């Protein structure tokens, strides 16, 4: 059902955890649909210097979360905002069609975390 | 890596003895049972012998057993056949919310064709209240359909008590016994049932064959039209090898019923107690006592079922879950929601169904690897993090 890359990210997820005093935190999904993704960011000079995630969900939900953290580490905020859910799925070698909607929200969580950072900066 | 199969409510491995008796009918004994020459007589006799064995397993007479293409067909035939046959008498069907989709979707279909359907609720253990059946009966009720035992949570329903009520009112009574036959004693006369569905592959027989018990004198319309097979009630050239394999599986189940039941009950309780001892925030789904011998269904809080199944699969274990991701829809199992579980707890369910080839070592292995997997998934779970911070609402 899942590609090798998905299985690799599921069994060896990158950047699991939380960041104390994160500069930005984003959470999407809900327990009802069975997927919750939370992303913490550490941002310096407009660059994402650290990122951690926690996910409650299926194999695809874990793999997309792990993948997005790998994709954004060291990137600028602008570059991170350009990453779409579709791009994350593509980077994983694709997802089963039924997973494209409910379990492919990792980029949304990332964007929420950046928004949270920008809101804090504005204050 | 050794693989351990722990999903016997999904399907069972074909018993080698069943395969052995099937082989001639897949090779040299290919005759059509309707033919009058020797090759036909041989297969006709084999079908008759299998019918006797299946009948004996449920306490029926052999001419009350009709072979079908599986449990789903038997359910479809029983419900549609009864509904159509009794249309002049009424249009009301009573069933329950925790039935298999073979029953639920058949009832939905009949609803589109003018029938009324009452879906009875269940309590927190998944039990149907016989009193509720009584209350639901109207002068339009023509059929009551209740499952013998639930495929997901293993709860065994009070089918004999319900039978008493249904028979008092002279209403047809169907039981989907796909998960019960071969696992626990089933006696059609003790229950007073008119129609009872069975499936071969749930009791170490082959796939693609099942049977419907039809009590003598019960009028239901045919579902499959064509030739005169199955005494003109179910058309289609017989799946001889499948039927013979079903017969052998039924014979084996009958001969070893009480010893297998006792052994799997002990293994089940060992597994369940072990899970409760080794892990926190685990709850049993289904009834603790009125429960199928090999069935363990638990919700492991803060984690999601599919992740758990993939992790177990990587360690060689085949099990199942009622999470949305494994049900093929966005909602978790209708059974888990019906017993009152909140969505997030239903998503975290694990079903382990033991079978006759499982050993204590299999249970020990699962108990050995499960806590570590759960710990890893919880460490990744934002719900668990929230719980540890005292933010989450524990159920």
């Amino acid at each position: 059902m899942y590609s090798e890359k998905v299985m690799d990210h599921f069994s060896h997820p990158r950047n699991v955890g939380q960041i104390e005093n994160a500069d930005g935190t984003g959470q999407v999904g809900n327990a009802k649909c069975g997927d919750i993704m939370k992303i913490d960011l550490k941002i310096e000079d407009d660059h994402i210097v650290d990122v951690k995630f926690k996910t409650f969900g299926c194999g695809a939900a874990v793999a997309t979360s792990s993948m997005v953290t790998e994709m954004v580490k060291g990137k600028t905020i602008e570059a991170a905002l350009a990453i779409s859910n579709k791009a994350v799925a593509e980077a994983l070698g694709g997802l089963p069609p039924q997973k494209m909607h409910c379990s492919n929200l990792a980029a949304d969580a990332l964007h929420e975390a950046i928004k949270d950072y920008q809101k804090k900066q504005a204050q | 890596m050794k693989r351990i199969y722990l999903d016997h409510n999904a399907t069972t491995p074909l018993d080698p003895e069943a395969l052995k008796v099937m082989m001639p009918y897949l090779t040299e004994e290919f005759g059509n049972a309707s033919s009058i020459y020797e090759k036909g007589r041989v297969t006709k006799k084999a079908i008759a012998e299998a019918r006797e064995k299946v009948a004996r397993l449920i306490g029926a007479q052999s001419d009350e057993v009709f072979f079908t293409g599986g449990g789903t067909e038997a359910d479809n035939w029983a419900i549609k056949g009864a509904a159509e046959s009794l249309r002049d008498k009424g249009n009301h069907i009573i069933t329950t919310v925790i039935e298999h989709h073979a029953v639920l979707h058949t009832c939905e279909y009949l609803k589109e064709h003018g029938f009324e359907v009452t879906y009875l609720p269940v309590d927190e253990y998944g039990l149907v209240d016989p009193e509720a059946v009584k209350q639901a009966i109207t002068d339009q009720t023509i059929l009551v359909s209740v499952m013998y035992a639930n495929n997901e949570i293993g709860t065994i329903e009070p089918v004999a008590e319900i039978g008493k009520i249904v028979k008092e009112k002279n209403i047809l009574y169907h039981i989907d016994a796909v998960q019960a036959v071969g696992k626990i004693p089933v006696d059609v006369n003790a229950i007073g049932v008119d129609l009872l569905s069975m499936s071969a592959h749930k009791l170490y027989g082959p796939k693609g064959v099942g049977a419907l018990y039809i009590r003598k004198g019960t009028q239901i319309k045919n579902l499959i039209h064509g030739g005169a097979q199955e005494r003109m009630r179910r058309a289609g050239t017989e799946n001889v090898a499948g039927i013979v394999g079903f017969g052998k599986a039924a014979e084996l189940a009958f001969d070893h019923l009480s010893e297998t039941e006792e052994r799997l009950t002990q293994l089940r309780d060992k597994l369940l107690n072990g899970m409760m001892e080794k892990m926190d925030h685990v709850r049993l789904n289904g009834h603790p006592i009125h429960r199928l011998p090999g069935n363990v269904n638990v919700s492991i809080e803060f984690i999601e079922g599919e992740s758990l199944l993939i992790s177990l699969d990587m360690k060689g274990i085949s099990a199942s879950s009622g999470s949305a991701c494994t049900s093929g829809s966005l909602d978790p199992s209708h059974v888990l929601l019906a017993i009152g579980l909140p969505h997030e707890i239903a998503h975290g369910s694990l079903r382990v169904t033991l079978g006759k080839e499982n050993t204590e070592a299999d249970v020990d292995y699962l108990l050995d690897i499960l806590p570590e997997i759960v710990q890893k998934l919880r460490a990744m779970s934002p719900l668990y993090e929230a719980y540890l911070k005292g933010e989450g609402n524990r159920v």
Side-chain angles (χ1 to χ4, degrees), chain B residues 177-286:
Chain B
V178 163
Q179 292 292 349
V181 173
K183 295 191 181 105
I184 54 173
V186 171
D187 182 338
V188 289
N189 292 314
I191 310 161
V193 66
D194 302 299
L195 303 159
L196 184 133
S197 306
M198 297 167 257
S199 171
H201 79 99
K202 306 287 192 193
L203 49 116
Y204 310 93
K207 290 165 186 65
V209 59
L212 181 64
Y213 159 82
I214 307 178
R215 181 175 292 278
K216 215 165 271 177
T218 304
Q219 296 298 320
I220 64 165
K221 295 279 189 193
N222 289 352
L223 181 72
I224 309 285
H225 301 92
Q229 291 87 0
E230 295 298 285
R231 282 146 294 142
M232 303 191 69
R233 297 184 88 161
R234 199 279 186 182
T237 298
E238 297 88 344
N239 169 9
V240 182
I243 288 169
V244 168
F246 187 7
K248 187 66 187 179
E251 182 187 355
L252 292 169
F254 184 84
D255 290 347
H256 303 284
L257 192 61
S258 56
E259 61 179 272
T260 309
E261 187 184 3
E262 200 186 311
R263 197 177 71 83
L264 290 185
T265 302
Q266 279 174 7
L267 268 190
R268 173 196 80 191
D269 290 342
K270 179 190 160 92
L271 176 58
L272 186 56
N273 293 335
M275 284 181 177
M276 297 293 181
E277 259 168 46
K278 291 185 163 210
M279 299 181 292
D280 292 332
H281 310 305
V282 175
R283 59 153 285 169
L284 174 68
N285 296 320

Side-chain angles (χ1 to χ4, degrees), chain A residues 8-19 37-42 48-55 61-75 106 110, chain B residues 376 379-382 385:
Chain A
D8 176 42
H9 274 268
F10 174 77
S11 30
H12 308 286
R14 283 63 146 171
N15 306 306
V16 174
Q18 64 211 81
I19 298 173
M37 301 174 186
K38 179 171 139 309
I39 285 184
D40 286 348
L41 297 176
K42 188 101 203 140
I48 296 170
V49 294
D50 197 10
V51 52
K52 297 271 186 212
F53 83 91
K54 282 206 176 180
T55 289
V62 172
T64 50
S65 309
S66 168
M67 188 70 205
V68 86
T69 61
E70 229 178 28
M71 287 166 83
V72 297
K73 226 178 198 178
K75 291 262 167 70
L110 169 70
Chain B
K376 187 183 166 199
M380 219 191 285
S381 166
E385 184 188 320

Side-chain angles (χ1 to χ4, degrees), chain A residues 1-2 7 10-11 13 16 18 31-34 36 38 53-60 62 99 102, chain B residues 302-304 306-308 310-311 314 324-325 330 332 343-344 347 376-377 379-383 385 389:
Chain A
M1 178 171 97
Y2 287 133
M7 287 306 291
F10 174 77
S11 30
V16 174
Q18 64 211 81
K32 205 174 169 205
C33 68
I36 302 174
K38 179 171 139 309
F53 83 91
K54 282 206 176 180
T55 289
F56 166 87
C58 65
V62 172
K99 301 286 183 187
C102 62
Chain B
F302 315 116
I303 65 172
E304 191 277 336
E306 194 206 84
S307 289
L308 181 57
I310 300 173
S311 305
M314 292 191 299
C325 281
L330 289 179
H343 275 73
E344 65 269 29
H347 283 301
K376 187 183 166 199
L377 292 172
M380 219 191 285
S381 166
L383 291 179
E385 184 188 320
K389 282 184 188 158

